[in-house]
Amino acid sequence: MQIKNYQIILASKSPRRQHLLKELGLHFEVRTKDTDESFPPHLQGAEIPEFLSKKKAEAFEKELKPDELLITADTVVWIENQVLNKPEDHADAVSMLRLLSGKMHQVFTGVCLKTTQMTRVFSAETKVYFKDLSDAEIEHYITHSKPFDKAGSYGAQDWIGLVGVKRIEGTYFNVMGLPMHELYQELIKL
């Protein structure tokens, strides 16, 4: 799939995002920069990953060429009016999974498409319902899957998703870190 005359740049180390773009048939280059992922405390829900995806794109502002299209994304887990980002350590991962256990939470992914001429930011929301997770299930998952690079300490495509996710409302790929339907709709508008 070709998007106009743009060379696509994915600014993400996430193997899941890279895999999803390949599945879409896009040819792209991966470029990454370490970006401060702090955000203003008044932001809520989808506002957080929208802000962060735009912030990540702005880090490339001075080096983007006119024929390049940059894609940045950020995913957060939102529960009880708080954001769960990537866990800091094992104990943090346990704490997050205990909080998610037996409850519904929202996954928001913000995406920024940027060229030298435009910046477009959008997001998607998915509701995820977890069964009650036992401490043994939580320990097994963290020990074997090491979900330290995942918002909320889990990947729906991992073991915990197979045994713990009862229901999803919205796009599954959003929970994996890139809302593919929404992204495709935005790309074909270019």
Side-chain angles (χ1 to χ4, degrees):
M1 177 181 173
Q2 181 67 30
I3 305 299
K4 284 212 174 176
N5 296 316
Y6 289 117
Q7 167 63 39
I8 297 172
I9 310 299
L10 174 64
S12 177
K13 296 175 187 170
S14 166
R16 293 164 301 283
R17 288 187 182 126
Q18 293 171 26
H19 172 76
L20 290 172
L21 280 189
K22 285 178 189 167
E23 288 296 307
L24 194 57
L26 293 177
H27 300 285
F28 60 93
E29 173 187 337
V30 175
R31 286 188 210 158
T32 60
K33 284 183 181 244
D34 289 327
T35 308
D36 171 33
E37 293 191 18
S38 62
F39 54 88
H42 67 275
L43 296 181
Q44 299 280 305
E47 296 171 332
I48 297 166
E50 287 178 2
F51 175 87
L52 290 173
S53 66
K54 186 175 181 192
K55 188 177 186 180
K56 289 175 181 180
E58 288 169 349
F60 289 85
E61 190 125 32
K62 292 185 170 108
E63 61 198 62
L64 209 55
K65 297 177 183 145
D67 66 339
E68 292 179 328
L69 170 66
L70 180 70
I71 301 173
T72 60
D74 191 82
T75 301
V76 298
V77 170
W78 183 256
I79 184 168
E80 298 175 358
N81 290 317
Q82 63 179 308
V83 66
L84 301 183
N85 283 312
K86 297 170 187 164
E88 293 179 15
D89 55 25
H90 186 94
D92 196 26
V94 169
S95 175
M96 286 184 189
L97 290 170
R98 283 185 179 151
L99 178 61
L100 296 172
S101 177
K103 298 177 189 156
M104 183 279 289
H105 63 274
Q106 296 157 286
V107 176
F108 294 105
T109 300
V111 179
C112 182
L113 303 179
K114 183 168 186 52
T115 69
T116 55
Q117 300 299 310
M118 68 89 189
T119 301
R120 188 175 301 154
V121 179
F122 60 94
S123 62
E125 171 193 1
T126 304
K127 293 179 180 175
V128 180
Y129 296 78
F130 263 98
K131 77 172 193 87
D132 288 318
L133 300 169
S134 70
D135 286 345
E137 289 168 331
I138 290 171
E139 282 298 330
H140 172 83
Y141 175 63
I142 295 169
T143 301
H144 290 88
S145 296
K146 305 194 183 332
F148 304 110
D149 65 336
K150 296 176 174 77
S153 301
Y154 82 94
Q157 70 280 6
D158 295 344
W159 182 86
I160 200 80
L162 298 174
V163 302
V165 174
K166 295 192 318 186
R167 186 168 92 235
I168 291 179
E169 294 174 9
T171 173
Y172 172 74
F173 297 107
N174 183 50
V175 183
M176 285 182 66
L178 205 54
M180 296 307 293
H181 172 76
E182 292 83 352
L183 176 60
Y184 178 76
Q185 295 305 312
E186 291 295 329
L187 289 173
I188 62 176
K189 290 179 193 173
L190 296 176

